[in-house]
Amino acid sequence: MIDLAHIQVIAGRGGNGMVSFRREKFVPHGGPDGGDGGDGGDVIVRAGEGITTLAHFRHQRVYKADNGRPGESGHRHGANGKPLTLQVAVGTQLTDEDSGETWDLDTPGAQVVIAHLGEGGRGNARFSNSVRQAPNFAEKGMAGEDRKLRLELAADYLVRAAWLAYLKSKLLLPREAGTEDQPTGDELAARLAFRLKRLEAMRNAAAGLMTRKRLGRDIFARGMPEGVRTIRVRQYTAVIFDLLKAYAEQRRRTTKRVHVIPRRTVWSIKEARQRLEALIGTWTGQWVELEKYLEQYLSNPDVARTAVASSFGAALEMAREGLVEISQAEPFAPIYMRKREAGAEWQRVN
């Protein structure tokens, strides 16, 4: 039986007052309208029926009531916090560990407000008067009571009281007829003493179980192996050169590069033909290498390739039209051409 518990109860804090001023159309002098904050909730302890232990206080030790809501504009009061009610077994004794004050809940339904609420703060509308017509401040909510309690269930007291009441009835009332087989007062007193001893032994055993040392936490078995713990240590061997190299590589990867393709001069077939026709007119009847016609353009590397390629295409068109003759001794050999005179026949060159 769990008949002893230590808990902390905290009443709800009051809500803060509101600092607000009325702002409406056609109301030039609205004035302050901040509302008051709501009150916090009380903490109430009540003796409930059907509860025989304090085991439900084992896992949770702190109990806190709801706080009050802050005030709002328009003189609206903040909502109050809900009270917190704790159910205990009948016969529980409450003791304030700081002040020593005690409360006994020995009847079903008995209750006590163990921690009183914190009041809400007043809004700025409460501080308005003829001298101070626009207060720009408000009160903060008050904190609720905070108590540390020791809960003790008086089980031995209840058992002793019940048995004493039964013994008094047996000793004071005369024995009824036909009750010779019932135990006498002395026998009942002996039974009461025996049961009280058993109850005391049970309490001592329960206290010993709760306070005994635990294996693996307080005591350890002989030869119990220790856990393996891995310790990781980072060790850096890089020198300043490696760091600079890594930094430069990272900068190279992340640096944005802009590649601009320069605009190149390109001859069209038409332009090359016009230049070629003008140049061929100065070399009549002679075989001349194609690049001889383009000497003035080959010195510029940006124009040399397009001049050769476009001029060769133009020369092929002019040969197809019968204006020039083209000759090449072997593949990749220089290309020769000459102007074809009017009425001349084609000459095959081997």
Side-chain angles (χ1 to χ4, degrees), residues 93-108:
Q93 185 181 60
L94 312 177
T95 304
D96 190 328
E97 295 183 350
D98 295 329
S99 63
E101 188 177 1
T102 60
W103 300 267
D104 290 324
L105 303 178
D106 50 4
T107 58

Side-chain angles (χ1 to χ4, degrees), residues 211-256:
T211 58
R212 68 181 300 180
K213 296 181 179 180
R214 294 179 56 181
L215 181 64
R217 188 190 68 178
D218 303 317
I219 58 176
F220 301 90
R222 179 176 297 177
M224 180 179 292
E226 297 183 358
V228 178
R229 185 176 59 176
T230 302
I231 301 176
R232 301 180 182 273
V233 179
R234 294 184 178 181
Q235 185 176 2
Y236 300 97
T237 59
V239 296
I240 187 65
F241 174 77
D242 299 330
L243 296 177
L244 293 176
K245 182 179 179 182
Y247 175 75
E249 182 66 20
Q250 185 66 20
R251 288 284 298 174
R252 186 185 65 82
R253 293 179 180 179
T254 57
T255 301
K256 294 183 179 180

